[in-house]
């Protein structure tokens, strides 16, 4: 069996406790068929965003999840950079807002389209 593509899902959070559970609950289905890791860069939330991510991680022991504390509200781009700097090796990065919800298999479909951009269709055929 060939290796699955590896995806680093980076989330930048700041006081996101009202919306982050929905994202977390959609990850497994949305990233189905891929090897993935979740890195949440927390921009110094004052609510329980980090605790919610940690609870989700504990309840999903097979998920590779880590929280990166940026130490302040450094902004979106800095949060993405902080998250990806802590990621294990990956083939593609997926940047998500905490209020995003993934549909079943959606990320695999996107990855296959990107993978096919070099003239391959993703199914072994060549695009013309």
């Amino acid at each position: 069996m060939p290796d699955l593509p590896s995806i680093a899902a980076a989330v930048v959070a700041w006081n996101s406790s009202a919306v982050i559970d929905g994202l977390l609950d959609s990850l497994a289905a949305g990233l189905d068929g891929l090897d993935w890791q979740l890195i949440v860069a927390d921009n110094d939330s004052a609510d329980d965003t980090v605790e919610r991510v940690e609870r989700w991680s504990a309840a999903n022991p097979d998920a590779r999840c880590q929280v990166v504390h940026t130490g302040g509200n450094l902004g979106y781009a800095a949060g993405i950079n902080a998250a990806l700097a802590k990621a294990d090796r990956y083939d593609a990065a997926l940047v998500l807002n905490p209020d995003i919800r993934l549909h079943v298999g959606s990320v695999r479909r996107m990855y296959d389209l990107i993978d096919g951009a070099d003239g391959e269709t993703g199914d072994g055929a060549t695009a013309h």
Side-chain angles (χ1 to χ4, degrees):
M1 176 186 212
D3 289 335
L4 295 175
S6 179
I7 307 298
V11 178
V12 179
W14 181 75
N15 293 334
S16 303
S17 66
V19 295
I20 200 155
D21 290 339
L23 169 63
L24 297 171
D25 292 342
S26 74
L27 290 173
L31 289 152
D32 187 47
L34 299 164
D35 174 38
W36 59 277
Q37 59 187 302
L38 172 65
I39 310 97
V40 177
D42 183 69
N43 272 341
D44 205 25
S45 293
D47 63 7
D48 67 340
T49 298
V50 170
E51 291 82 6
R52 287 175 179 271
V53 173
E54 290 171 345
R55 274 195 304 266
W56 177 86
S57 181
N60 295 277
D62 291 335
R64 290 183 295 152
C65 175
Q66 61 178 308
V67 175
V68 177
H69 298 274
T70 64
N73 191 354
L74 305 182
Y76 193 68
I80 294 166
N81 290 337
L84 293 178
K86 296 294 185 178
D88 294 333
R89 185 202 64 80
Y90 57 90
D91 298 311
L94 177 67
V95 177
L96 300 168
N97 288 344
D99 61 348
I100 292 290
R101 306 299 178 259
L102 299 177
H103 291 280
V104 175
S106 59
V107 180
R108 181 62 194 241
R109 287 191 297 274
M110 286 190 295
Y111 181 83
D112 288 346
L113 287 171
I114 293 168
D115 190 42
D118 62 0
E120 299 280 327
T121 61
D123 61 2
T126 302
H128 298 285

